[in-house]
Amino acid sequence: MKPVLDFGVLGPLRAVVDGVTVHIGPRKHRILLASLLLRANRPVHLDELVDRLWPTAEIPRCARSTVQTYVMRLRHELGPAGCRIRTGPEAYSIELGADQLDLDRFVRHTEQAGRARRSGALSEARAHLGSALAQWRGAPLADVPSATLARFEVPHLIERRCRATEQRIELDLVLGSPDDLVSELHTLIAEHPLHERFRALLMRAYCRAGRHAEALAAYHAAARLLADELGVEPGQELRLRYARLLAGQG
């Protein structure tokens, strides 16, 4: 019987085999597993794994053979799931099914949401986005100590989460109560202070709730922050939202 698997990168690294959480102890093993999961069902070249496992100045002479040792030990740690790590020409991969990785579930639900929205099924799209965002358990790869992953992979994952959150909030503005979104948007802005889309959505939520003075204040707060931090003016969406407010269009 095949083991029941559930892996996760949208938060601390997770490996669950037959309902039992597998503790991936050594930091290099966590980096290795995370690297394979981020490219699930695709080969990851040995040189790429070396770059992720060691800073350039610390790459050992026997790096390639050391990676092979790490793979062997990781297979052992994963028990019945270890056979999912496959060896290819100058590369390794992990083979997973459609529902065995949180990132794959997130992508599938966001794609389904897009199709539903294009067809006009807004409630269905909202439900899929809710399911997509439910895959997140915190900061991606929070316990995986790789500077390369932190620099090149984590920001991309965070941006995808932000886009899905924006889309869900946009649907909530159409389908739900705008007052319920104000608190959430303030939390998101505190986490991502330079993310203009969240600030534009906050202005929309205030306007939908009839709180136009607070929408104007939100714009001015955004303008001050962008000027102080980046030396730039608000982007087009914020400026258009502000112009609509001044014109009494909400």
Side-chain angles (χ1 to χ4, degrees), residues 5 12 25 59 76 78 85 106 109 112 121 134 145 151 157 169 190 224 235 244-245:
L5 308 178
I59 296 176
H76 179 74
L78 291 174
I85 299 178
F106 171 80
H109 280 297
Q112 290 172 330
R151 181 179 178 185
L157 292 172
I169 291 173
R224 285 193 301 271
R244 288 176 62 86
L245 271 171

Side-chain angles (χ1 to χ4, degrees), residues 116-135:
R117 187 169 186 172
R118 288 190 293 272
S119 69
L122 299 188
S123 294
E124 180 183 345
R126 169 62 180 82
H128 279 301
L129 287 169
S131 296
L133 292 166
Q135 302 304 317

Side-chain angles (χ1 to χ4, degrees), residues 22-86:
V22 177
H23 176 63
I24 308 299
R27 58 192 298 270
K28 298 295 188 184
H29 294 188
R30 296 201 304 276
I31 296 170
L32 174 59
L33 179 58
S35 299
L36 295 176
L37 290 173
L38 288 167
R39 300 286 188 276
N41 300 310
R42 290 173 289 168
V44 184
H45 197 275
L46 260 173
D47 290 339
E48 184 175 355
L49 292 173
V50 168
D51 287 340
R52 293 181 173 192
L53 285 163
W54 294 279
T56 302
E58 299 177 14
I59 296 176
R61 292 183 180 180
C62 55
R64 285 181 159 225
S65 61
T66 303
V67 172
Q68 294 170 358
T69 300
Y70 289 159
V71 169
M72 179 184 67
R73 292 174 179 171
L74 179 59
R75 283 175 173 148
H76 179 74
E77 282 182 297
L78 291 174
C83 62
R84 296 299 184 97
I85 299 178
R86 305 297 174 86

Side-chain angles (χ1 to χ4, degrees), residues 173 197 199-205 207-208 215-216 219 235-250:
L173 284 168
R197 284 286 288 138
R199 293 181 178 272
L201 287 167
L202 177 62
M203 292 178 67
R204 285 179 59 185
C207 288
R208 288 291 302 276
L216 286 170
Y219 174 82
Q236 184 179 26
E237 184 176 7
L238 277 172
R239 295 198 309 272
L240 288 175
R241 181 61 50 188
Y242 181 59
R244 288 176 62 86
L245 271 171
L246 294 180
Q249 297 174 347

